[in-house]
Amino acid sequence: MKYVKGIEAYQDTRNSAITLGKFDGLHLGHELLVSRVEEHQAQDGVVGIVFAFDMRGLYEKLNKPYPMLLSNEEKAARLNGRVEYFIDCPFDEQIASMEAEDFIEKVLVDIFHAKYIVVGTDFHFGYQKRGDVRMLAKYAERCGYELTIVEKELYKNREISSTYVKEELLQGQIETVNKMLGYSYMINGIVEHGKQLGRKLGFPTMNVHPSDEKLLPPKGVYMVKVRIDGIWYHGIGNIGVKPTVTEEKRMLVETYLFEYTGNAYGKNVRIELHKFKRPEQKFASVTELKDQIDQDISCAKEYFNL
């Protein structure tokens, strides 16, 4: 799969099947769209494209945070091997001010040579969001593409959306989040050198500083799986600032893995969250902390049937 940043960088002249949206999280609702593109790609030999609007620039302009479920790099990694192109399109002034009709004719048709367009029922585009599925349907015959409108996927009688996923994540409902995503929520990062306090307690840990743009669940202890050098390990992880042993207030994901004995410093690892165990707390002593970690480990091993 090719990761292309910006519309102008796309040079392929073949007909395409394209789906468009923000795709934050690539949840089960998004999965329906991507699967349709894959079908067209396999059956008709067209180029499969996932076109994602990157809203960070707009939010920076408004001086608002835009915490994401998945970074663009993480989206690309999840789509790799499924479609031919992932288009990372910054939502800049050029895109924001483009009339909806021009977006159809100059972007979807002239640049991406769309033969199939796949979108959700609430897809909007163009200046002041004038474009919608009705406009796409109106232009379909004239522009020579086939439009597929995909109904929303539901979870507990509510439409799955990035907003819904974020609400559950911020409440620590990791198992619900994972059901709506269709995979386990992840945090990627480089293992840093720490103060080796965990090793002194008998629990050697790995510290990862998450991206500032990554949306994190509540501070606390989680049942986790961690991938190092392509191998998965079970463990427990603490998301927070380690108040018992430091005053730094720097957000870290600290994990203790049950089966790992190697040296992971400097390695890029993936941490999957599986279940929330307890909130982060400050203990009166390191001994109390150690006793609690023993309990956390026992619970995690029981959860993973180890």
Side-chain angles (χ1 to χ4, degrees):
M1 187 193 75
K2 296 185 177 71
Y3 179 163
V4 176
K5 191 171 183 65
I7 294 172
E8 298 80 4
Y10 183 81
Q11 300 295 326
D12 206 311
T13 59
R14 293 174 291 171
N15 289 339
S16 72
I18 185 170
T19 183
L20 305 96
K22 293 190 286 291
F23 294 104
D24 190 14
L26 279 172
H27 53 62
L28 289 180
H30 296 142
E31 176 66 25
L32 295 177
L33 302 174
V34 177
S35 294
R36 284 298 187 93
V37 168
E38 285 184 288
E39 290 172 11
H40 289 306
Q41 184 176 252
Q43 295 169 6
D44 202 13
V46 294
V47 177
I49 300 173
V50 173
F51 181 107
F53 293 102
D54 186 342
M55 309 302 292
R56 287 177 297 176
L58 173 64
Y59 278 75
E60 286 173 9
K61 197 172 181 179
L62 298 172
N63 201 25
K64 291 183 178 180
Y66 187 65
M68 298 187 294
L69 296 167
L70 288 181
S71 68
N72 290 324
E73 291 73 22
E74 288 169 337
K75 293 176 193 176
R78 289 204 60 79
L79 292 168
N80 192 31
R82 301 185 61 188
V83 295
E84 285 201 46
Y85 287 94
F86 173 67
I87 310 297
D88 171 9
C89 178
F91 193 77
D92 55 21
E93 187 62 33
Q94 178 187 357
I95 294 294
S97 62
M98 186 179 293
E99 293 294 344
E101 296 86 351
D102 288 338
F103 187 82
I104 293 173
E105 295 179 343
K106 296 180 180 179
V107 176
L108 294 178
V109 177
D110 291 349
I111 295 178
F112 292 107
H113 315 288
K115 185 175 181 181
Y116 302 99
I117 297 175
V118 181
V119 293
T121 53
D122 62 349
F123 178 63
H124 286 80
F125 60 98
Y127 180 60
Q128 295 185 339
K129 296 184 177 181
R130 283 185 51 248
D132 57 15
V133 293
R134 288 173 295 182
M135 182 181 287
L136 284 170
K138 177 183 174 182
Y139 275 73
E141 185 175 353
R142 181 197 314 180
C143 294
Y145 59 77
E146 179 182 313
L147 175 65
T148 299
I149 303 170
V150 178
E151 295 293 327
K152 295 290 186 178
E153 185 79 355
L154 301 179
Y155 181 76
K156 293 186 176 179
N157 296 317
R158 179 176 169 184
E159 292 180 355
I160 295 177
S161 66
S162 300
T163 299
Y164 189 6
V165 175
K166 288 178 177 180
E167 287 175 6
E168 295 297 315
L169 182 69
L170 291 173
Q171 293 176 29
Q173 301 297 326
I174 298 300
E175 291 170 301
T176 299
V177 167
N178 292 347
K179 287 176 182 176
M180 289 195 287
L181 290 176
Y183 61 90
S184 297
Y185 194 66
M186 68 185 79
I187 299 167
N188 292 301
I190 305 293
V191 178
E192 302 180 352
H193 284 275
K195 296 180 179 179
Q196 299 192 334
L197 295 172
R199 188 176 302 276
K200 293 174 184 176
L201 293 174
F203 310 109
T205 58
M206 298 186 307
N207 293 309
V208 171
H209 176 60
S211 164
D212 292 337
E213 296 177 334
K214 186 75 172 182
L215 185 65
L216 298 176
K219 295 175 184 176
V221 174
Y222 294 81
M223 319 299 195
V224 303
K225 289 183 181 179
V226 180
R227 189 181 71 183
I228 307 172
D229 295 330
I231 301 173
W232 287 98
Y233 301 90
H234 301 87
I236 56 169
N238 183 77
I239 298 176
V241 296
K242 301 189 285 188
T244 306
V245 296
T246 181
E247 299 292 333
E248 288 182 9
K249 305 299 182 185
R250 184 169 181 258
M251 186 67 72
L252 288 171
V253 183
E254 183 182 27
T255 57
Y256 168 64
L257 306 184
F258 308 144
E259 310 104 332
Y260 185 72
T261 57
N263 183 346
Y265 291 130
K267 294 183 183 291
N268 197 328
V269 302
R270 171 169 296 176
I271 303 164
E272 286 187 350
L273 306 182
H274 285 260
K275 184 178 177 63
F276 178 70
K277 169 64 171 58
R278 62 174 176 84
E280 184 177 55
Q281 61 190 101
K282 184 171 184 176
F283 293 92
S285 68
V286 172
T287 300
E288 282 189 21
L289 171 61
K290 186 179 185 300
D291 290 341
Q292 181 60 61
I293 293 174
D294 281 326
Q295 294 179 36
D296 295 338
I297 291 171
S298 296
C299 289
K301 287 184 174 179
E302 182 178 345
Y303 176 80
F304 288 123
N305 293 317
L306 299 176

